Amino acid sequence: MSVLKKPKPKPAAGRIQMLPVGKLVSTPDNRRRAITDASVRSLAQSIKKDGLLQPIVVRGHPTMPDRWEIRAGERRWRAAKLAGVATVPVIVRKLDNETALTVTIAENLQRKDLHPLEEAEAIQLAFDREYDLRAIASRLGKSVGYLARRASLTRLSKAWRAEVMKAESDASRLSAAYLELIARLPEATQDSLADD
């Protein structure tokens, strides 16, 4: 006599539920600066004391069955792993690739410490993938012009990007609008300005 195993129920979309930490996978679309060990350790201590207070947003992983791709909440996930938590609260959403990227961009736009270059890289992904920019702009509460201007920061030369990312450099204090003007210049001109 063979015993049939009942299939595990799939998590329902749109409501908070618990999933094993080991079943979650980070997305390559997240363009935030490296998440610092100190911030993860600090959050892990908070999770040990109070639990994870905000659910992680996931979707079914597009290529890995029985895995969930994190679209918002990677730092929370890392901290939960460090805290030794077995399961975390998640909201499972049915997201196509375009909407999934929009969710990740929107999550990052809400961060106070999001750098304009990180935002630019995420928005440039939408341009590169030829997504519907009007729809993305509408979901983000921004104009298509804003998206285009911000994505232009990806055309800053390596020298400028390096200086802008240094916390205490003069370039790091320049406004995004000023950097967008610099990004319009040819790379050689940008590098010449960076040397001055």
Side-chain angles (χ1 to χ4, degrees):
M1 177 173 146
S2 68
V3 177
L4 296 176
K5 288 185 178 180
K6 279 186 173 181
K8 290 183 183 177
K10 292 214 174 219
R15 63 181 179 85
I16 296 176
Q17 53 210 301
M18 301 301 284
L19 284 179
V21 171
K23 297 277 185 177
L24 305 185
V25 178
S26 65
T27 177
D29 291 344
N30 193 343
R31 301 299 190 190
R32 285 191 68 204
R33 283 177 280 189
I35 298 170
T36 65
D37 289 341
S39 74
V40 172
R41 281 193 306 273
S42 174
L43 183 55
Q45 289 301 317
S46 173
I47 290 170
K48 283 179 184 177
K49 181 180 174 199
D50 301 318
L52 186 58
L53 302 177
Q54 184 177 1
I56 297 168
V57 178
V58 300
R59 71 172 178 165
H61 197 282
T63 61
M64 298 168 65
D66 200 31
R67 294 286 185 260
W68 305 91
E69 182 183 53
I70 299 168
R71 298 313 303 191
E74 182 173 341
R75 188 174 73 95
R76 283 171 268 156
W77 169 65
R78 289 183 186 191
K81 287 194 323 184
L82 184 62
V85 173
T87 60
V88 291
V90 301
I91 297 175
V92 176
R93 304 229 358 236
K94 290 184 180 183
L95 303 169
D96 59 33
N97 290 336
E98 183 174 322
T99 308
L101 180 60
T102 304
V103 166
T104 301
I105 294 170
E107 165 80 1
N108 285 335
L109 285 177
Q110 294 172 5
R111 299 263 175 240
K112 291 177 184 166
D113 65 342
L114 181 68
H115 195 281
L117 293 184
E118 295 169 320
E119 181 185 5
E121 288 177 19
I123 292 169
Q124 185 61 47
L125 275 179
F127 279 93
D128 293 345
R129 295 175 182 173
E130 299 180 359
Y131 289 160
D132 181 350
L133 297 178
R134 284 194 173 109
I136 291 171
S138 175
R139 285 186 203 118
L140 295 175
K142 304 285 184 186
S143 69
V144 173
Y146 173 89
L147 296 181
R149 286 190 310 276
R150 191 49 51 97
S152 73
L153 293 178
T154 61
R155 293 192 300 271
L156 283 171
S157 71
K158 286 182 182 179
W160 270 98
R161 283 195 303 264
E163 281 302 306
V164 168
M165 293 305 284
K166 288 181 187 172
E168 297 302 318
S169 72
D170 290 337
S172 71
R173 291 187 276 280
L174 295 173
S175 71
Y178 189 84
L179 293 172
E180 289 164 6
L181 292 173
I182 293 169
R184 291 182 188 175
L185 300 171
E187 188 171 345
T189 305
Q190 290 184 42
D191 288 342
S192 174
L193 289 171
D195 290 338
D196 289 343

